[in-house]
């Protein structure tokens, strides 16, 4: 079946540095990738939608300059958290729609900013 | 009010019990998903429904489009079923998912 590979699975970074998270569709072409954030014991919240070859669409309240999304190819979408702060510590997960109404999720990235 | 409501929020069961998790939604949908999220965070898609009923092993999912309601049943529950179960709806194919708040299930041996 469809697989989305997400890396890294966890990362610890210092305040002020940037972190890049990658999501690759391994056996299908993902023209769209959804990026979610999840705080402890809360539901997934959509941050942005990336579309191959065009600018990402951000949800209200999500800073475009802080969460840079790139979808340069049909198999790779990246999320870069720039100038990370402790409040950016969260679980980030990507998801791509597949055939019909199916969905495939990445394995998630746990980001800790110290 | 959330477009997708789940109940219960938390559920503790004894191994072997039959479990039901409910999901109600208030919008028109093209499909409803049941997802399982384990403590490590990874999410697995259990079912995708647009009508009727689906069964996979000990898991059964049903949906009533007219009543805008879906249920996830687990028969003969086991401690390894302990996870957060999330209901999510898609308004149109390829669209983003709208998530319920999840049901945290703990199955005791």
């Amino acid at each position: 079946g469809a697989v989305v590979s997400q890396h890294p699975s966890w990362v610890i970074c210092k305040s002020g540095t940037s972190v890049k998270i990658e999501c690759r569709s391994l056996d299908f072409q993902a023209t769209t990738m959804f990026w979610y954030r999840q705080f402890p014991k809360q539901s997934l919240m959509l941050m942005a939608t990336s579309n191959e070859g065009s600018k990402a669409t951000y949800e209200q309240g999500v800073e475009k300059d802080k969460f840079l999304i790139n979808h340069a190819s049909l198999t790779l979408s990246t999320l870069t958290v720039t100038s990370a702060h402790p409040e950016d510590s969260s679980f980030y997960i990507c998801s791509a729609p597949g055939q019909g109404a199916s969905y495939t999720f990445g394995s998630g990235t746990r980001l800790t900013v110290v | 009010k959330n477009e997708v409501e789940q109940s219960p929020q938390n559920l503790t069961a004894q191994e072997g019990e039959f479990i039901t998790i409910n999901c109600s939604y208030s919008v028109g949908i093209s499909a409803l998903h049941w997802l399982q999220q384990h403590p490590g965070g990874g999410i697995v898609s259990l079912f995708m429904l647009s009508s009727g009923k689906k069964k996979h092993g000990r898991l059964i999912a049903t949906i009533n489009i007219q009543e805008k309601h879906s249920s996830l049943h687990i028969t003969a529950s086991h401690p390894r079923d302990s996870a957060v179960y999330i209901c999510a709806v898609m308004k149109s194919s390829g669209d983003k998912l709208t998530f319920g708040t999840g049901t945290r299930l703990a199955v005791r041996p």
Side-chain angles (χ1 to χ4, degrees):
Chain A
V3 175
V4 171
S5 175
Q6 184 171 346
H7 292 282
S9 54
W10 61 270
V11 58
I12 301 172
C13 71
K14 289 186 178 179
S15 234
T17 61
S18 295
V19 173
K20 181 186 281 190
I21 301 169
E22 290 189 350
C23 279
R24 291 180 185 274
S25 56
L26 297 188
D27 48 3
F28 69 105
Q29 293 182 331
T31 55
T32 299
M33 191 74 73
F34 298 105
W35 286 93
Y36 299 93
R37 180 168 53 183
Q38 185 181 38
F39 292 106
K41 298 196 175 180
Q42 293 188 23
S43 188
L44 293 153
M45 291 192 62
L46 180 66
M47 298 175 65
T49 304
S50 73
N51 296 289
E52 187 268 335
S54 63
K55 288 184 179 179
T57 304
Y58 290 80
E59 296 298 300
Q60 195 170 12
V62 178
E63 299 174 59
K64 300 178 185 183
D65 296 331
K66 182 167 184 61
F67 299 99
L68 300 179
I69 288 175
N70 185 281
H71 197 144
S73 78
L74 287 170
T75 59
L76 175 64
S77 177
T78 62
L79 166 67
T80 302
V81 183
T82 63
S83 187
H85 288 277
E87 56 265 30
D88 299 324
S89 298
S90 188
F91 184 72
Y92 295 86
I93 192 165
C94 60
S95 173
Q99 294 275 357
S102 69
Y103 258 80
T104 302
F105 287 83
S107 52
T109 298
R110 192 160 303 279
L111 170 64
T112 302
V113 185
V114 298
Chain B
K1 191 173 186 279
N2 292 337
E3 292 180 328
V4 182
E5 297 277 357
Q6 274 185 247
S7 63
Q9 288 191 344
N10 294 285
L11 181 57
T12 301
Q14 205 64 35
E15 183 173 358
E17 285 184 358
F18 180 83
I19 288 163
T20 296
I21 300 170
N22 294 299
C23 176
S24 295
Y25 54 93
S26 57
V27 294
I29 66 169
S30 65
L32 180 144
H33 294 253
W34 280 103
L35 310 170
Q36 181 190 54
Q37 185 172 30
H38 279 279
I43 293 176
V44 174
S45 178
L46 298 174
F47 294 104
M48 180 184 69
L49 295 161
S50 54
S51 64
K53 175 181 175 178
K54 287 189 176 180
K55 184 176 189 292
H56 183 69
R58 295 180 293 106
L59 302 178
I60 302 166
T62 64
I63 188 168
N64 185 317
I65 296 293
Q66 286 73 32
E67 295 186 4
K68 293 187 164 61
H69 181 269
S70 176
S71 292
L72 176 68
H73 305 286
I74 304 175
T75 62
S77 59
H78 191 276
R80 64 174 174 265
D81 297 326
S82 299
V84 176
Y85 292 84
I86 303 168
C87 169
V89 301
M90 181 174 6
K91 295 176 186 176
S92 59
S93 185
D95 196 7
K96 64 182 181 182
L97 290 174
T98 301
F99 297 91
T101 51
T103 296
R104 191 172 297 274
L105 171 65
V107 181
R108 293 180 176 165

